[in-house]
Amino acid sequence: MKRFAIWAVLISATAPLASARVLVEIAVADVADFEALRGGREERFVFVGRHAYTAVDDGALAGFDAGGRAWSGVAVAVEEEVFLVLPAAAAYDGPRLATGELAGGNRFFVLTAADAAALAPLYAFNVVYLPRGRPGVALPAAPFNPLEAGAAERVRRDKLMATAERLQDFYSRYVYFHGNDAATAFLEDEYRKVLRAAVDRQYFEVVTRRGSKNAANVVARIDGVKYPDQQIVVGAHFDSAVFGSVGNPRAAAPGADDDASGTAAVLECARILSGYAFDRTLIFIGFNAEELGLFGSIHYATTARARGDDIKAMINLDMVAYEADAVLDATAGANGPSYEIAELMATKAARYTSVKMVPNGSGAGGSDHVSFWGQGYKAVIQSEGWNDSSPYIHTDGDTVDTLNPSFFADMARILVATAFDLAGPNTSPLMGIVDPDGGDYADAGYVIRWWDVDVDDLGRDAAISLYWAKDNGGESGTLIASGIPQNDRGNRGSYEWNTSSLPAGRYYVYGVIEDGVNEPYTAPSAGPVRIIHAPRVVAYPNPARWRAGQTEVTFDGLFPGDGLVVFDVSGTKVFEAAAEGRQLRWDVADVASGVYLFRVESAVMADAVTGKVAVLR
């Protein structure tokens, strides 16, 4: 039986459909008119080609009010069936029970709910269904954790918006477009900036009707202290697509909300949580090829199960920055085993933000969390309100100017607090080295500053030791000072480091805090301190005596990137080189006797270094 054309004929048949739902088409002028239509309403609306679509129970159709806008019922489905509404440009060759034409070239498909849940995400947000209503949620009380609160407060919306805009500016992150490769490299670099641990690419093959391509997930981690084998996974997909991009890979697909927003929030979460220690391991993932069928997350979850990874929870962020209503709402979608995580997320929303987050235990599909469900892991999706998602999804209008920065930051705070709780903040005294920050120089002394992040004041007497090393691994270091008392209640501390006896060079600092109960905790510095003593650059032997076999002059005290130029007394350049390390050597075997002038220009030092060196034959 065809279930389109004139819906009235179908629902007035002698054997009426049980629990029939009608697809209603409403003419709207533009996006603003669409937002005005759905503002504050319980129905789910989708926006396709200047028309809004919703599902209405046939018994309630007579009282349906579109606010004076023209509307009509255009198709009918029964219980456990839903509608998929697509623009003409969108290719769809998946399962369907019926199909038909709509206004403006739009098309609808009637699908089973099970088939709709398995759709490629490119289409998932255009599914129209009869909502079950928002459940009343009694949230459990959560004790206040000042460490967690401090982490949530550190979210910076300028960083979120900047990352989303940078991803948008790749023009398209569609898997078969070169912008996807560029976005992969960008994301890898950003994780390396905020995490000192390993950041890897996980390659997999994408196979669609366009052909095959090797794509990569970006995976970073913070290892747990107490239960390192237990994992909390936080992820979002960074690829993008628009309707029609399957046939036109060069179509603009900025994907600011879907899902540069989720990707930016996960990166911001990694930046903040990198300053803490946790019992469980935190893994941050940028999934690729989600829009074509969850390729990246399926590969990761399948591989994780094969390795025997003990994933305790997975949080997927997909579209977390669009909010047009004054009432901020969001969804934590879960299946049955994962519902407690959705409830936890809602408690964090209530504590740290003004967002009303509704746990949805009906098993919302269509994104990367589904891949983890398929492997038996608990997973939730954090997303915009179930009836308030962006109307620009999968169009070239999904740009950062449509995002709500305050809502965006609140959604990131919810993520940070939830991940913080699930990972289990380690109860050992913690610290973070604030300086050196990579931009400072020292001669006789340098001030090391640290931040004691153990602000919950467990009443333990802890002491801090400071070390220097040639690398940032915190191994085989040389003691600077020990037994420095821990400051109360998380105050910052400092120590004057005497560097007068250290040779010029690049040094890293790390601190160790211990209380005699827990394992000592080591905090490395984010960057090096450069120690420079006058004169910064020396040349030897000077003079260089050719008859004594001294046919090379060594310039010592350089930094990588320094440029060295040697001139004779007439000003003619006789030697030029760029330093790759601490030294450069000038071969003077064929150089005439005389006095030579040298000059060192540095990218890191404001003043040039000059000097003289003599060559005697």
Side-chain angles (χ1 to χ4, degrees), residues 72-135:
S72 59
V74 291
V76 175
V78 298
E79 190 173 1
E80 300 304 324
E81 294 178 356
V82 298
F83 303 100
L84 171 64
V85 181
L86 298 175
Y92 175 71
D93 55 6
R96 83 285 304 273
L97 301 174
T99 186
E101 301 295 323
L102 299 170
N106 296 337
R107 295 167 299 149
F108 78 85
F109 305 85
V110 179
L111 286 69
T112 67
D115 285 338
L119 284 179
L122 183 64
Y123 312 113
F125 292 101
N126 282 59
V127 174
V128 185
Y129 52 86
L130 192 65
R132 300 177 182 177
R134 300 188 182 192

Side-chain angles (χ1 to χ4, degrees), residues 53-302:
Y53 297 89
T54 189
V56 179
D57 186 278
D58 66 324
L61 194 66
F64 180 76
D65 178 15
R69 301 168 184 82
W71 66 272
S72 59
V74 291
V76 175
V78 298
E79 190 173 1
E80 300 304 324
E81 294 178 356
V82 298
F83 303 100
L84 171 64
V85 181
L86 298 175
Y92 175 71
D93 55 6
R96 83 285 304 273
L97 301 174
T99 186
E101 301 295 323
L102 299 170
N106 296 337
R107 295 167 299 149
F108 78 85
F109 305 85
V110 179
L111 286 69
T112 67
D115 285 338
L119 284 179
L122 183 64
Y123 312 113
F125 292 101
N126 282 59
V127 174
V128 185
Y129 52 86
L130 192 65
R132 300 177 182 177
R134 300 188 182 192
V137 179
L139 299 176
F144 178 68
N145 183 333
L147 262 181
E148 179 183 289
E153 289 171 2
R154 293 176 63 197
V155 168
R156 289 179 50 183
R157 71 181 187 180
D158 61 324
K159 285 186 173 291
L160 292 168
M161 291 296 289
T163 301
E165 185 169 10
R166 182 68 184 89
L167 288 166
Q168 167 195 276
D169 290 347
F170 286 114
Y171 182 78
S172 172
R173 304 184 304 280
Y174 182 62
V175 170
Y176 293 101
F177 188 71
H178 62 77
N180 183 275
D181 298 326
T184 304
F186 164 76
L187 195 58
E188 181 180 16
D189 288 344
E190 290 302 296
Y191 272 110
R192 291 191 187 281
K193 291 177 184 177
V194 301
L195 295 178
R196 287 176 290 273
V199 180
D200 299 312
R201 295 191 190 191
Q202 182 193 47
Y203 284 95
F204 58 91
E205 186 178 19
V206 178
V207 180
T208 70
R209 62 187 180 184
R210 282 197 57 83
S212 64
K213 179 188 175 181
N214 284 328
N217 297 322
V218 177
V219 184
R221 62 190 291 137
I222 298 173
D223 287 322
V225 175
K226 190 174 182 180
Y227 309 114
D229 292 337
Q230 297 181 9
Q231 300 176 5
I232 306 299
V233 175
V234 182
H237 74 89
F238 64 90
D239 63 310
S240 63
V242 297
F243 289 129
S245 62
V246 173
N248 178 18
R250 293 180 176 83
D257 191 36
D258 186 18
D259 188 28
S261 66
T263 301
V266 174
L267 179 64
E268 179 70 348
C269 181
R271 180 187 72 83
I272 292 168
L273 298 189
S274 67
Y276 301 83
F278 296 94
D279 286 343
R280 300 177 183 88
T281 293
L282 276 159
I283 297 179
F284 305 92
I285 308 176
F287 292 116
N288 207 343
E290 185 261 7
E291 297 288 13
L292 296 182
L294 315 183
F295 280 93
S297 58
I298 288 174
H299 179 75
Y300 186 90
T302 303

Side-chain angles (χ1 to χ4, degrees), residues 391-446:
Y392 301 102
I393 296 305
H394 300 145
T395 75
D396 59 7
D398 184 10
T399 54
V400 292
D401 57 293
T402 67
L403 306 184
N404 183 324
S406 296
F407 177 70
F408 194 178
D410 273 350
M411 292 291 271
R413 290 186 186 98
I414 296 168
L415 171 65
V416 169
T418 305
F420 194 102
D421 190 308
L422 290 170
N426 188 262
T427 56
S428 304
L430 311 177
M431 69 178 294
I433 296 289
V434 178
D435 288 326
D437 61 7
D440 291 320
Y441 305 90
D443 182 3
Y446 185 81

